[in-house]
């Protein structure tokens, strides 16, 4: 019996690699989770080793009971995605994880050339909250 991802991959999923790749790896991640941070170097090696054979997908799984800033970070990453820079911001969030705060998230966006004021407005309005919670369903 073949395992199936639920919900199946959709256009809104954040992907590295090509649809139809031989292998698919879906990470359900929390930007404040130390284990997710620890997995980043392994994931880089796996992606490098498998190259075009791998489609890597990131889905949000913030655990606010343990990581109170994780939902905010997930929404901030979606605000970065709205400006076309999800993956760069994803990597940066894990790099700054030990110093994670609203201020460092917005500053990181600005350092990447994102419109930090737009990011803050989208976070404050909850513009991406549904997208973040979609992955939890």
């Amino acid at each position: 019996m073949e395992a199936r991802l639920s919900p199946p991959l959709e256009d809104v999923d954040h992907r590295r690699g090509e649809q139809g790749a031989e292998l698919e790896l879906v990470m359900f991640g929390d930007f404040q989770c130390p284990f997710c941070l620890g997995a980043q170097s392994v994931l880089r090696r796996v992606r490098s080793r498998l190259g075009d054979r791998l489609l890597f997908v990131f889905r949000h799984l913030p655990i606010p009971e343990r990581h109170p800033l994780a939902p905010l970070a997930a929404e901030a990453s979606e605000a970065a995605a709205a400006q076309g820079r999800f993956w760069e911001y994803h990597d940066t969030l894990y790099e700054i994880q030990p110093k994670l705060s609203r201020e460092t998230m917005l500053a990181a966006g600005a350092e990447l050339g994102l419109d930090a004021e737009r990011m803050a407005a989208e976070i404050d309005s909850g513009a991406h909250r549904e997208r973040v919670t979609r992955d939890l369903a």
Side-chain angles (χ1 to χ4, degrees):
M1 187 167 152
E2 184 177 319
R4 300 217 182 262
L5 182 64
S6 179
L9 293 181
E10 299 175 338
D11 289 340
V12 297
D13 284 309
H14 301 293
R15 306 162 187 238
R16 281 182 166 160
E18 296 298 320
Q19 183 68 28
E22 177 184 349
L23 304 167
E24 293 178 354
L25 175 60
V26 180
M27 176 181 179
F28 287 80
D30 174 323
F31 288 114
Q32 198 178 8
C33 172
F35 298 108
C36 294
L37 172 61
Q40 296 308 301
S41 63
V42 173
L43 291 168
R44 278 191 296 276
R45 287 195 308 272
V46 167
R47 289 192 332 262
S48 175
R49 183 169 290 159
L50 294 175
D52 293 340
R53 295 177 50 211
L54 178 68
L55 171 63
F56 176 69
V57 178
F58 181 88
R59 287 186 171 174
H60 297 288
L61 184 62
I63 305 172
E65 301 81 16
R66 292 192 172 240
H67 310 123
L69 293 172
L72 179 66
E75 288 188 55
S77 75
E78 290 302 323
Q83 296 183 46
R85 304 290 295 277
F86 175 80
W87 286 110
E88 296 96 328
Y89 193 73
H90 162 280
D91 295 346
T92 299
L93 282 176
Y94 280 118
E95 289 171 15
I96 67 170
Q97 187 191 86
K99 299 176 184 172
L100 204 59
S101 69
R102 178 185 171 88
E103 293 74 28
T104 59
M105 288 180 220
L106 294 174
E111 287 180 28
L112 288 173
L114 299 173
D115 181 341
E117 288 182 23
R118 175 180 164 191
M119 287 180 70
E122 290 176 7
I123 292 167
D124 292 343
S125 72
H128 304 289
R129 197 160 296 135
E130 184 176 321
R131 167 68 181 96
V132 169
T133 59
R134 167 212 167 265
D135 291 345
L136 301 175

